[in-house]
Amino acid sequence: MPSTPQSFADFDLPTAVVNALAKDGKTTPFPIQTATLPDTLAGRDVLGRGRTGSGKTLAFSLPMVTRLDATRPEGRRRASRPRGLVLAPTRELASQIDATLAPLAKSLGLTTTVIFGGVAQSRQV
């Protein structure tokens, strides 16, 4: 039986991401992360649920940035071609997700943006 991961460094995550997590004081995965990361990092779909603060956002953000980094296209990216999308039901949740995702993405040279409904497109562009 494989041992249970004790830190984020025990997963197949880029070193830059592990360092960004540590810089934010996050070194030990929550149960939902321990349960899902092996499958999501391998490209499998999972379904998880948990209470607020249980670590769900990191559970899907870590494999997202890892896979986006690993499948980065050659040359410059095209602004009209986003490579990842997270949908959230409220502006507040969208902002909270971005606050978690953006530092991880930045550690790999990726960028994030938040787009809200009900706001003029010109103001967001």
Side-chain angles (χ1 to χ4, degrees), residues 14 24 38 46 52 56 66 76 88-89 122:
D24 195 32
V46 300
T52 299
K56 297 179 302 291
T66 299
R76 296 195 57 193
S122 60

Side-chain angles (χ1 to χ4, degrees), residues 6-83:
Q6 300 298 312
S7 76
F8 286 110
D10 295 335
F11 292 101
D12 190 20
L13 296 168
T15 302
V17 170
V18 174
N19 291 341
L21 289 166
K23 183 178 178 183
D24 195 32
K26 297 173 180 143
T27 57
T28 305
F30 285 9
I32 195 165
Q33 297 153 0
T34 300
T36 60
L37 283 173
D39 288 323
T40 55
L41 288 169
R44 291 188 285 277
D45 294 334
V46 300
L47 176 63
R49 67 180 192 181
R51 294 176 180 261
T52 299
S54 65
K56 297 179 302 291
T57 302
L58 266 184
F60 73 77
S61 296
L62 291 168
M64 182 177 190
V65 297
T66 299
R67 292 180 65 81
L68 287 173
D69 183 55
T71 60
R72 191 183 304 253
E74 294 295 320
R76 296 195 57 193
R77 82 171 180 88
R78 293 173 29 190
S80 62
R81 306 280 176 148
R83 296 185 50 233

Side-chain angles (χ1 to χ4, degrees), residues 65-125:
V65 297
T66 299
R67 292 180 65 81
L68 287 173
D69 183 55
T71 60
R72 191 183 304 253
E74 294 295 320
R76 296 195 57 193
R77 82 171 180 88
R78 293 173 29 190
S80 62
R81 306 280 176 148
R83 296 185 50 233
L85 176 67
V86 178
L87 297 175
T90 66
R91 292 179 190 189
E92 178 184 64
L93 183 56
S95 294
Q96 290 172 1
I97 291 169
D98 188 60
T100 298
L101 188 57
L104 303 173
K106 184 177 180 181
S107 75
L108 297 170
L110 301 168
T111 59
T112 66
T113 191
V114 179
I115 300 171
F116 301 116
V119 178
Q121 179 181 350
S122 60
R123 289 181 49 206
Q124 296 187 67
V125 170

